[in-house]
Amino acid sequence: MLRLAEIESKKSNQKYKLGAVIAKGRRVLASAFNDTKTDPNFGSGKYNTLHAEGRVIKKAIRSGHDIRGATIYIYRKNGLLAWPCPDCLKMINNAGISRIVST
């Protein structure tokens, strides 16, 4: 799953390239990368980018997936730490995602 998150990160046009995947078992529910924030009511708090974590949660929910108990995989290009920011961590917890795996 981290490999899929890595592939997503390569699609980003941001300075810091991140990708995220939400999965239950071996089933991928959604994948996304960080991008420019376009919805003022949804995003990663004060940041002007829509973080990969928030974007993947939004995609999964819009697709009708129950992500409670799922795992989120987060990859940051160039081997840098990819732990969620406080706003993303709050979204992850509120969504009921039970496990975070990051590089």
Side-chain angles (χ1 to χ4, degrees):
M1 296 299 169
L2 280 173
R3 177 71 179 124
L4 293 176
E6 178 184 6
I7 291 167
E8 284 295 317
S9 74
K10 293 176 182 178
K11 298 175 186 177
S12 175
N13 63 0
Q14 301 296 305
K15 179 178 179 181
Y16 302 105
K17 300 176 182 309
L18 282 96
V21 172
I22 294 176
K24 277 189 173 179
R26 293 179 171 256
R27 183 172 176 229
V28 173
L29 303 180
S31 62
F33 54 92
N34 60 328
D35 202 358
T36 304
K37 186 175 179 178
T38 58
D39 183 344
N41 299 315
F42 185 86
S44 307
K46 64 184 181 260
Y47 303 100
N48 64 356
T49 58
L50 179 54
H51 291 182
E53 301 94 327
R55 192 163 183 227
V56 76
I57 289 169
K58 185 176 181 179
K59 283 178 72 174
I61 291 170
R62 280 193 170 172
S63 296
H65 295 296
D66 178 7
I67 59 175
R68 291 173 294 180
T71 300
I72 187 167
Y73 298 86
I74 308 161
Y75 177 88
R76 183 170 175 179
K77 196 167 191 277
N78 300 327
L80 301 172
L81 181 62
W83 192 252
C85 73
D87 293 318
C88 288
L89 194 54
K90 185 176 178 181
M91 276 191 281
I92 290 166
N93 290 329
N94 289 342
I97 294 172
S98 61
R99 185 170 172 236
I100 301 169
V101 177
S102 65
T103 56

